[in-house]
Each structure stands twice: as structure tokens, then as C-alpha cells.
Amino acid sequence: MTVLASRTQPARADRPAASEIRDSMTVLPRWCQLPLTLLTGKPYTGQAAPQLTATFHLAAAVASVVVGVAIAAAGWLTAGWALLLLPAGWAATLHGARNLRMLIFHQCSHRNMYGRRSLDNAIGYAIPSLLIIQNFQRYSREHVSDHHAVHHMTLRDPTVQAFLVSLGLRPGTTRRQMWTTVLRKLVSPWFHLQFLVARIRSFATGSAPAEKAAAIGIYGTAAVLATAADAWALLAVVWFVPLVPLYQISNTLRLCVKHTFPTADTTHRRGREHFAGLTNAIFLGSPAPAPGASPLRAALAWLGWSARMLLWHLPVRYLVLTGDTVVHDFHHRYPVSRRWVDYIFARQHDLDAGHPGWPPYTEEWGLIAAINRVFDSLAAADPDEFDIRRIASVSRRELFAAFDD
């Protein structure tokens, strides 16, 4: 089987291995290490897992939404300098919403949140009612049958359809052209309006009566309170800004790192080697400054490293590569693993054990590199195999809702 060269090489010779990059950060205090692992997506050698639970992830996501709304509301109502609180509130709200969608909703679709069908279903039905995304029943069916099966990264896969139809990207297009297309869409009001309409339609079409009732209850109550308190501006700024444009920007960027396309000369589309080659980890961060420099050079090096970590990699992790996105390759190898609660450490444990029965793991460091990897794979894909005309037109109206897997 032939795939992209970058998929068959876990680390290029011109850069440090993933473990070396992460281990370089162990010179920092011990209390920094778990936050650094959660940020980078990579444990340091020998690091013990924190033993998280499904309830922790659910509570953390809900708390992030609540706190974010409260912070944004405080900033809006106080005005003045307090308006600077708005971005922090939006960020926390977006982070919580994305974790509800990417981690909690996703695990519920696999009946793997708590492993109790009724409870997982109840949570799975509640989240679309709040976020106005594809309804739980339809998502669960399409996700398992078309994304986690032989149709993975074929025209049957909603991820591929979203790339070709919603983003308008094509095989044979250059990396630069793809970047231009995506960046233009991210700032396009028409794109965001289409996306929002598709979300509403995808939620409403086929959603369970309980989902519809919950959505009507949530947004009906919000409308009544906003009208009574003359607070429609507050509602729009505090809730709908992170729920609509910011959510959709995060969603789109995350789509662009999800999976690579099989190349045109790939002849065998079965087996673990093929499917493992379609997903890779995305680690964030850069090597910590090496010791031995003069005090001034060391101070400047650490200042630069801290700026990159806090001003670039942290926002990317917190707002785009949320939940287990950084190690999504582990999920595609073990979609119903109960170790998803410690996803970063679960992947590392499998890696340390020799990834039995599977080919080696691969990774990219950084959001830009991960997007370039996906764009390059689409550029090399078979234009006949991924011909947009072969996608049924009836499915195109709601493809924005299929951006996440």
C-alpha cells in the first residue's frame, strides 16, 4: 500500500521526536507538568495519568459554559474597562460548548460516555438542544455507519462531503489556494449564515420530540426573559456570539485537521494500516530552551518560548483542538475504549506497549503543520474518486452540520 510519505514516518530526521520535545519541558516546576501535558497533548516520559472520569469531563464542560456566560455578562453590563472581560467570557463559553460537542456528545454517540444506554442517550439528546447542532439520532447513525466503517474518507463519509461541498475544496488544488479559500470563508457573513441555517435544519430534521421540546424550552425561556428585561443585546453578545460565528470558525478549522485523504495510487482500502494512515495526532508546543546559554540569552529564549506557548499554542488548544482532538488517532483505533477519559495518556500507553496489532502512530506538531498535511493529501487525491458531482444533491443542504466527527 502506498500513502503519503509523511504518514509512514513518525518523525522527520530534521526535527526532534515528540517525546524529546515534551521532555525538554520537564525543566519547569512539577506543578507545570500536567497543564503542559493537557496543552501539548503529549505526556512526558513516565508521567502518570491523573485518573479523570466521565463526570469530570461533563462537569468541566458545563462549568466552562456557565462561567463564560457569567464573565461575558459581567463585562457587558459593567461596561467601561470591564468590556475587556468579553473575550475571556467568549473563550470560556466556546471552550465548554466545543467540549460538549467534541467530547461528550461524541462519546454518547458511541454509547461510551457512561456505558449506560439510557443515560448516554439522555445526555446526547440534551446537547443538540442547547447548541443547535445535528440531532443525536441522525448523528449517531451516520457517524458509526459512514465515518467509522469501510466508508471512512470516501464520498459516503460526511467529513469528505463537508470538505468538497461546504468548503468547496478540490483534489489537485494547491495548498495556497486551499488556505485562501478557507480563510475567506471564515470571514464571510454568507458562509456563516449558510452554516447557521444548516445547523438549524440538521437539528430539526429527524430530531426526537424531546430534543425539540428542550430546544423550545431553552430558547423560548431566553426570549421571554430577554424581552421582559429589555436584554436582547445582552443575550446576543453573551450567548450568540460564541455560539454562532466563533463556534463555526472553531468548527471549520478543526475540520481541516481531522483526517487525511487517501492518495490516488492507494490500491488497497481495507485493513488497519490503511485506516491508521488517515488519522494522526496533533501536538502543540515547541522545545523548551536548551540550558547553557548566557543569562541574557536564556532570558530572551524563555520569553520567546513563553510567548509562543501562551499566545499561540494555548488559544489553539483551548478554542480549536478541544477535547481529545489532539489524539484523535487513538479514538479511531479504539472507538469504544473506556480509557477515553484519560485520552492523552491512553494513547501514550498504547504507544509504549508497541501499539499491538496496529502500525506506528504518526503526528504533526502545530495547527498550521496539521492543516498543511490535510491540504496536501487532498491535493494528491484522485479527482475522479472525489468528484463532487457524485454526491447526492439532497444531502448537500446540511453538510455544514457534519463538520465534526
Side-chain angles (χ1 to χ4, degrees):
M1 182 189 71
T2 303
V3 293
L4 285 176
S6 60
R7 293 185 201 157
T8 62
Q9 299 172 5
R12 293 196 301 262
D14 60 348
R15 69 181 182 189
S19 59
E20 295 175 4
I21 296 176
R22 178 62 184 90
D23 286 351
S24 73
M25 304 176 196
T26 58
V27 297
L28 293 167
R30 186 176 183 84
W31 61 266
C32 295
Q33 297 310 315
L34 182 57
L36 282 170
T37 295
L38 296 177
L39 191 164
T40 62
K42 179 74 175 177
Y44 66 79
T45 301
Q47 185 176 13
Q51 303 299 315
L52 302 178
T53 65
T55 300
F56 170 85
H57 288 294
L58 176 60
V62 172
S64 184
V65 171
V66 172
V67 170
V69 168
I71 292 173
W76 180 257
L77 294 173
T78 307
W81 285 101
L83 282 173
L84 295 174
L85 293 173
L86 275 177
W90 289 338
T93 302
L94 176 61
H95 175 76
R98 294 295 291 156
N99 272 343
L100 283 173
R101 169 59 184 84
M102 294 306 308
L103 194 61
I104 308 303
F105 183 74
H106 183 204
Q107 289 298 328
C108 287
S109 74
H110 285 279
R111 308 292 189 264
N112 198 42
M113 178 67 183
Y114 287 101
R116 295 164 54 189
R117 186 181 183 88
S118 59
L119 182 55
D120 288 356
N121 282 351
I123 298 171
Y125 285 130
I127 291 174
S129 302
L130 176 66
L131 302 183
I132 311 300
I133 55 176
Q134 188 174 31
N135 66 76
F136 181 65
Q137 182 175 353
R138 180 174 176 180
Y139 172 78
S140 299
R141 181 180 66 252
E142 293 181 354
H143 180 68
V144 173
S145 64
D146 293 333
H147 188 70
H148 275 277
V150 295
H151 305 298
H152 182 44
M153 294 309 290
T154 69
L155 284 179
R156 282 278 301 271
D157 190 336
T159 295
V160 172
Q161 296 177 5
F163 245 101
L164 301 180
V165 178
S166 302
L167 288 186
L169 303 181
R170 300 286 183 273
T173 309
T174 67
R175 178 197 293 179
R176 181 168 185 163
Q177 290 171 324
M178 292 186 201
W179 270 108
T180 300
T181 298
V182 170
L183 293 177
R184 284 177 177 171
K185 287 183 179 296
L186 291 181
V187 297
S188 166
W190 176 240
F191 173 80
H192 285 285
L193 178 61
Q194 286 181 296
F195 199 156
L196 177 60
V197 170
R199 285 170 63 181
I200 295 171
R201 180 184 288 121
S202 189
F203 170 77
T205 305
S207 58
E211 286 178 296
K212 290 187 175 71
I216 292 172
I218 292 170
Y219 287 96
T221 300
V224 169
L225 293 176
T227 301
D230 192 21
W232 276 101
L234 173 67
L235 179 62
V237 169
V238 168
W239 180 244
F240 287 107
V241 168
L243 182 68
V244 181
L246 298 184
Y247 184 99
Q248 293 172 181
I249 289 171
S250 173
N251 209 351
T252 303
L253 290 174
R254 199 268 178 182
L255 169 70
C256 293
V257 302
K258 282 170 57 176
H259 300 290
T260 49
F261 287 75
T263 53
D265 56 351
T266 301
T267 57
H268 184 65
R269 300 294 178 85
R270 296 289 187 274
R272 292 183 171 184
E273 187 177 357
H274 167 67
F275 289 111
L278 301 176
T279 316
N280 55 269
I282 308 163
F283 300 139
L284 300 171
S286 49
S294 66
L296 178 59
R297 288 183 179 275
L300 292 175
W302 278 105
L303 180 62
W305 180 86
S306 300
R308 290 191 298 274
M309 296 293 286
L310 295 175
L311 301 180
W312 173 242
H313 294 300
L314 178 59
V316 166
R317 176 72 167 112
Y318 192 70
L319 302 176
V320 179
L321 304 183
T322 55
D324 64 349
T325 301
V326 287
V327 291
H328 193 57
D329 51 354
F330 175 80
H331 170 72
H332 272 268
R333 296 181 185 219
Y334 308 101
V336 292
S337 170
R338 297 299 297 159
R339 294 202 63 192
W340 72 266
V341 292
D342 283 314
Y343 47 87
I344 293 174
F345 295 89
R347 181 189 187 274
Q348 186 63 43
H349 180 269
D350 190 51
L351 179 63
D352 293 340
H355 45 83
W358 287 89
Y361 282 98
T362 57
E363 76 276 339
E364 287 290 348
W365 276 84
L367 177 68
I368 303 302
I371 293 176
N372 285 341
R373 182 181 186 131
V374 174
F375 285 175
D376 290 346
S377 73
L378 178 56
D382 186 347
D384 293 327
E385 178 181 359
F386 296 103
D387 187 342
I388 189 176
R389 294 172 296 183
R390 296 173 56 199
I391 299 177
S393 59
V394 70
S395 69
R396 298 184 184 187
R397 296 190 302 268
E398 300 172 16
L399 290 182
F400 289 92
F403 269 24
D404 287 323
D405 68 2

